[in-house]
């Protein structure tokens, strides 16, 4: 690890914390906005930089959740449950301290699991045939059910729309031009980064401008609060550890994501607590559980991304796209062809975690100032970032139009409750699903995907993964209805 | 019409007529729904019709793809599967909307600001071609912040100037992105 790498990691951590702390800038958006900066970097440095942003953004989201009850990221929602009440009680320092240390502990557990299990998983994946790869893509797509809960239908529409978008351009097997309308700019399909920046960043800005609620809250007092001692953190060690394990496991499942992990961990801590009624009123265990699970899911989400080429979260999907831009194909072959990049990433993630602790402690007062950036200034800058980032991909205005177009599409879908992560997942997994399905059919006929046990097993897991969250959501809805009718 | 001639029509004039027809369906649906009993779901229903029309458009357009195939597999197979799926799912959503089981459309916010912002973006893109990236980007940040209600002149100038300096140093110099200098300036200098 040379000084240049350390500087890159530190820069990634700072950018990640700032991106996570800014409400409206999700980790995936933060990583997407920074991809153009990596063009001039060598692939491993680019991956290290983006992974450091991902890791730190998950912690950054908790800063605004604790101080102004505005989670900077969706996964920081649970942190706000107890973090904000602690702040209101004048214990913001405790909440921020627990949040930081739990993030570091959770992040370390996730990375250790990534180091231990990515190798064996990659070796297993090398034995896969096209049929298994297709089923794997279906498994990745099946997890959209857990992204939307009750909105499973909207999630499915979003994902299918993404799959359809992925077919635009030259067909990679027969070289047939599809949905290009004779436009040469479309021969390679939609460029991924302008698509992503438009869909995630611009749509958020359009929705924000329509809402036009720019009243910022300030929490200057939070930074002045007292930070806890080591003994205080030691008391929370079991909560952190339990949540870290849950977060890592949930993170491994493609599409499950950090938000689900935080809810599960919080629920487990509440059930195990002697004072469950205090949860939601300002309990450090609640903050520790949410943040440890949130950060540990990063390592977990990278396991399927690196070993199978399937993103475990929306941010991992962006990272996957960034890897492809640098001509790196995530999956088992990455471990064979570029092992130095993989092991450099592992080392970098561990160091990024330590850097996060140092910078998190040192910069606590500074981070809170991010919340003071007024949206009237933030939005024009996001627009400018999005435009220049899209243009920089190929130095052509077409990509700027693509970014703008998907920004408008994303804003419309968002306005009517269509989640955008499944659309990204559809675009990311579309080519993998199509190419492998066609290869499998060419090799073994129309029933190819049902002929290999591995493929069938993956399809069964995919079916369960799709149905269980929908059934759970329905059950929860029915229980809520029953409770409401009993009360009435 | 024979299958072959339909395919060539889709691959030819159909490339313009079919998207226009799909857009027409969406506009007609919007006009009909806003005058019907389901007017409070206008946005949702129109969006579902748009998705349905998109699925239908994609399916019909696949007829214009070259009929090349290898071991019975051609380039139309997968787009057709996705377009049929999109049509089925969008139809299910449409049924929910038409039966009035959906939640009403969200309240309209400051759409005027969104439209003005889009106009600014178009002006910026035109400006990039004529006066180059740096001038139009600086003016865009300035105009956009004013449009959104920011009033502090020092903050405005610092933000616009800061962005121009940042994009020049990082993107133009460090990353060597060939940002357009504009027709006007390249003609003069």
């Amino acid at each position: 690890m040379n000084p240049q790498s350390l500087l890159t990691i530190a820069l990634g951590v700072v950018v990640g914390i700032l991106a996570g702390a800014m409400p409206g800038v999700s980790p995936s958006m933060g990583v997407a906005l920074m991809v153009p900066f990596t063009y001039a970097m060598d692939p491993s440095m680019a991956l290290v930089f983006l992974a450091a942003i991902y890791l730190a953004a998950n912690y950054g989201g908790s800063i605004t959740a604790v101080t102004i009850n505005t989670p900077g990221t969706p996964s920081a929602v649970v942190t706000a449950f107890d973090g904000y009440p602690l702040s209101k009680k004048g214990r913001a320092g405790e909440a921020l301290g627990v949040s930081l240390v739990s993030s570091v502990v959770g992040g370390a557990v996730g990375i250790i699991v990534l180091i231990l299990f990515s190798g064996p998983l990659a070796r297993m994946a090398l034995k896969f045939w096209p049929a298994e790869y297709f089923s794997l893509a279906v498994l990745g797509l099946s997890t959209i059910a857990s992204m939307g809960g009750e909105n499973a239908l909207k999630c499915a529409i979003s994902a299918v729309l993404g799959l359809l978008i992925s077919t635009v351009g030259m067909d990679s097997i027969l070289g047939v031009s599809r949905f290009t309308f004779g436009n040469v700019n479309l021969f390679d399909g939609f460029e991924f980064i302008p698509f992503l920046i438009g869909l995630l960043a611009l749509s958020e800005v359009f929705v924000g401008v329509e809402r036009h609620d720019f009243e910022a809250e300030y929490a200057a007092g939070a930074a002045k609060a007292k930070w806890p001692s080591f003994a205080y953190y030691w008391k929370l060690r079991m909560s952190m550890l339990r949540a870290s394990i849950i977060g890592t496991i949930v993170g491994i499942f493609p599409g499950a994501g950090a938000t689900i992990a935080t809810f599960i961990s919080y629920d487990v801590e509440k059930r195990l607590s002697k004072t469950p009624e205090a949860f939601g009123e300002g309990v450090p265990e609640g903050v520790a559980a949410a943040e440890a699970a949130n950060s540990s899911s990063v390592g977990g989400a990278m396991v399927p991304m690196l070993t199978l080429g399937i993103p475990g979260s929306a941010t991992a999907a962006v990272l996957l796209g960034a890897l492809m831009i640098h001509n790196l194909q995530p999956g088992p072959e990455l471990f064979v062809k570029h092992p130095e990049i993989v092991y450099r990433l592992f080392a970098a993630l561990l160091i990024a975690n330590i850097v996060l602790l140092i910078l998190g402690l040192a910069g606590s007062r500074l981070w809170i100032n991010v919340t003071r950036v007024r949206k009237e200034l933030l939005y024009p800058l996001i627009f400018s970032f999005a435009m220049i980032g899209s243009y920089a991909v190929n130095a052509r205005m077409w990509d700027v139009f693509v970014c703008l177009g998907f920004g408008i599409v994303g804003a419309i879908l968002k306005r009517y409750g269509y989640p955008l992560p499944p659309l990204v997942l559809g675009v990311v997994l579309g080519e993998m699903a199509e190419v492998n399905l066609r290869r499998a059919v060419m090799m073994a006929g129309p029933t190819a995907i049902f002929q290999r046990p591995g493929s069938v097993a993956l399809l069964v897991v995919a079916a369960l993964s799709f149905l269980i969250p929908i059934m759970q959501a329905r059950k929860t809805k029915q229980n809520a209805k029953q409770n409401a009718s009993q009360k009435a | 019409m024979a299958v072959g001639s339909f395919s060539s029509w889709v691959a030819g004039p159909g490339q313009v007529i079919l998207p226009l027809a799909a857009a027409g369906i969406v506009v007609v649906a919007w006009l009909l729904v806003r005058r019907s009993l389901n007017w409070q779901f206008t946005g949702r229903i129109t969006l579902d019709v748009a998705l349905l029309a998109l699925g239908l458009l994609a399916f019909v357009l696949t007829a214009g793809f070259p009929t090349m195939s290898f071991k019975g597999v051609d380039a139309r197979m997968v787009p057709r599967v996705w377009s049929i799926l999109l049509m089925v799912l969008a139809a299910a959503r449409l049924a929910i909307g038409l039966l009035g089981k959906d939640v009403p459309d969200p309240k309209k916010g400051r759409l005027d600001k969104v439209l003005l912002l889009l106009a600014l973006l178009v002006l910026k893109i035109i400006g990039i071609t004529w006066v180059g990236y740096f001038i139009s980007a600086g003016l865009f940040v300035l105009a956009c912040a004013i449009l959104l209600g920011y009033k502090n002149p020092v903050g405005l100038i610092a933000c616009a100037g800061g962005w121009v300096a940042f994009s020049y140093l990082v993107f133009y110099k460090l990353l060597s992105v060939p940002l357009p200098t504009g027709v006007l300036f390249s003609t003069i200098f």
Side-chain angles (χ1 to χ4, degrees), chain A residues 68-393:
Chain A
I68 59 171
N69 201 24
T70 307
T73 58
S75 56
V77 169
V78 181
T79 309
F81 289 175
D82 282 284
Y84 186 60
L86 276 171
S87 281
K88 281 204 291 188
K89 288 176 187 170
R91 293 162 66 189
E94 275 177 55
L96 284 170
V98 171
S99 157
L100 175 64
V101 172
S102 307
S103 284
V104 171
V105 171
V109 171
I111 295 157
I112 290 165
V113 170
L114 175 70
I115 294 168
L116 291 176
F117 292 101
S118 53
L121 264 171
R123 276 192 291 278
M124 190 185 83
L126 273 173
K127 292 171 186 163
F128 277 19
W129 281 40
E132 278 92 350
Y133 273 111
F134 168 74
S135 303
L136 209 53
V138 175
L139 175 63
L141 287 167
S142 70
T143 54
I144 55 159
S146 58
M147 287 184 184
E150 289 174 44
N151 284 331
L153 188 56
K154 284 182 177 173
C155 274
I157 291 175
S158 242
V160 174
L161 194 60
L163 290 167
L164 199 57
I165 290 169
S166 78
T167 61
V168 174
M170 284 285 189
D171 152 42
S172 55
I173 292 181
L174 295 168
V176 169
S177 169
R178 303 185 297 190
F179 307 123
T180 58
F181 300 96
N183 183 343
V184 285
N185 292 310
L186 281 173
F187 281 9
D188 285 332
F190 291 108
E191 193 66 53
F192 191 64
I193 291 302
F195 155 78
L196 206 64
I197 296 177
L199 198 75
L200 297 178
L202 287 198
S203 66
E204 186 67 43
V205 177
F206 282 132
V207 170
V209 171
E210 196 203 339
R211 211 183 295 129
H212 213 264
D213 178 23
F214 299 147
E215 284 306 311
E217 288 182 59
Y218 300 99
K224 292 173 190 161
K226 215 176 111 186
W227 285 68
S229 62
F230 178 77
Y232 185 92
Y233 296 127
W234 186 248
K235 280 184 203 163
L236 299 169
R237 66 190 183 283
M238 290 315 289
S239 300
M240 290 182 199
L241 205 63
R242 272 193 295 268
S244 301
I245 294 164
I246 293 169
T248 311
I249 294 168
V250 175
I252 288 174
F253 289 100
T259 313
I260 298 163
T262 54
F263 274 99
I264 295 173
S265 301
Y266 186 81
D267 187 53
V268 168
E269 278 313 305
K270 195 175 173 182
R271 283 168 197 268
L272 291 174
S273 172
K274 286 173 186 165
T275 54
E277 69 284 353
F279 276 69
E281 304 290 327
V283 182
E285 285 85 355
V287 179
E291 272 310 296
N294 185 6
S295 292
S296 61
S297 70
V298 172
M302 282 199 182
V303 172
M305 187 198 89
L306 288 174
T307 58
L308 306 169
I310 288 181
S313 66
T315 320
V318 181
L319 270 178
L320 197 73
L323 279 170
M324 288 170 177
I325 286 166
H326 285 278
N327 290 324
L328 294 171
Q329 185 59 50
E333 286 196 7
L334 186 68
F335 286 75
V336 179
K337 288 183 182 169
H338 304 284
E340 75 289 353
I341 290 179
V342 176
Y343 294 111
R344 197 173 183 187
L345 174 71
F346 291 165
L349 279 170
L350 282 172
I351 292 166
N353 221 23
I354 299 163
V355 173
L356 177 65
L357 181 65
I358 296 165
L359 289 179
L361 286 169
S364 57
R365 281 158 186 80
L366 187 69
W367 308 142
I368 290 169
N369 285 332
V370 174
T371 61
R372 299 180 184 188
V373 177
R374 297 192 69 89
K375 285 188 176 171
E376 295 95 314
L377 283 182
L378 185 65
Y379 284 171
L381 292 177
I382 291 178
F383 260 116
S384 303
F385 240 124
M387 295 286 141
I388 202 168
S390 303
Y391 179 82
V393 180

Side-chain angles (χ1 to χ4, degrees), chain A residues 33 36-41 134 141 151 153-154 156-157 160-161 163-164 166-167 171 173-182 202 205-206 209-212 214 374-377 379-381 383-385 387-389 391-392 395 397 400-401 404 408 412-413 415-418 430 433-434 437-439 441-443, chain B residues 15 19 43-44 47-48 51 54-55 57-58 61-62 65-66 68-71 73-79 82-83 85-86 89-90 92-93 96 102 105-111 113-114 117-118 121 124-125 128 133 137 140-141 144-145 147-150 155-156 159 163 166-167 170-171 174-175 177-180:
Chain A
L33 284 171
F37 286 94
T38 66
Y39 294 154
M41 295 180 184
F134 168 74
L141 287 167
N151 284 331
L153 188 56
K154 284 182 177 173
I157 291 175
V160 174
L161 194 60
L163 290 167
L164 199 57
S166 78
T167 61
D171 152 42
I173 292 181
L174 295 168
V176 169
S177 169
R178 303 185 297 190
F179 307 123
T180 58
F181 300 96
L202 287 198
V205 177
F206 282 132
V209 171
E210 196 203 339
R211 211 183 295 129
H212 213 264
F214 299 147
R374 297 192 69 89
K375 285 188 176 171
E376 295 95 314
L377 283 182
Y379 284 171
L381 292 177
F383 260 116
S384 303
F385 240 124
M387 295 286 141
I388 202 168
Y391 179 82
M397 288 305 284
V400 177
F401 295 126
L404 193 58
I408 296 168
I412 294 169
L413 290 173
R415 191 171 198 275
Y416 294 104
Y418 284 84
E434 176 177 4
L437 174 65
R438 286 169 67 183
R439 278 186 190 148
V441 173
M442 279 191 256
M443 285 164 78
Chain B
Q15 297 283 306
R44 293 185 192 280
L47 179 58
D48 296 333
L51 290 165
L54 182 70
L57 173 70
L61 284 175
T62 58
F65 294 171
M68 243 188 285
S69 74
F70 182 70
K71 290 199 173 180
V73 178
D74 63 19
R76 291 180 292 195
M77 183 180 87
V78 173
W82 301 149
S83 52
L85 253 177
L86 184 62
L89 295 169
R93 279 284 324 153
I96 294 171
D102 215 340
D105 286 351
K107 280 182 186 169
K108 274 182 193 162
R110 298 296 305 268
L111 280 175
K113 295 265 180 189
V114 178
L117 192 63
L118 281 170
L121 280 165
K124 182 189 175 182
I125 290 167
I128 287 173
Y133 175 79
F140 171 79
V141 173
C144 191
L147 173 75
L148 297 178
Y150 192 77
L156 279 171
C159 192
W163 174 258
F166 171 79
S167 51
V170 176
F171 282 92
L174 193 71
L175 299 175
V177 176
L179 294 167

Side-chain angles (χ1 to χ4, degrees), chain B residues 106-186:
Chain B
K107 280 182 186 169
K108 274 182 193 162
R110 298 296 305 268
L111 280 175
D112 55 329
K113 295 265 180 189
V114 178
L115 291 173
L116 279 170
L117 192 63
L118 281 170
L120 272 181
L121 280 165
V122 172
L123 280 176
K124 182 189 175 182
I125 290 167
I126 296 168
I128 287 173
T129 320
W130 288 97
V131 294
Y133 175 79
F134 298 106
I135 293 176
S136 51
L139 288 175
F140 171 79
V141 173
L142 211 65
C144 191
I146 292 169
L147 173 75
L148 297 178
Y150 192 77
K151 285 169 189 152
N152 182 356
V154 179
L156 279 171
I157 292 165
C159 192
W163 174 258
V164 172
F166 171 79
S167 51
Y168 175 77
L169 290 172
V170 176
F171 282 92
Y172 196 69
K173 283 286 171 192
L174 193 71
L175 299 175
S176 306
V177 176
L179 294 167
T181 47
V183 178
L184 213 61
F185 290 103
S186 54

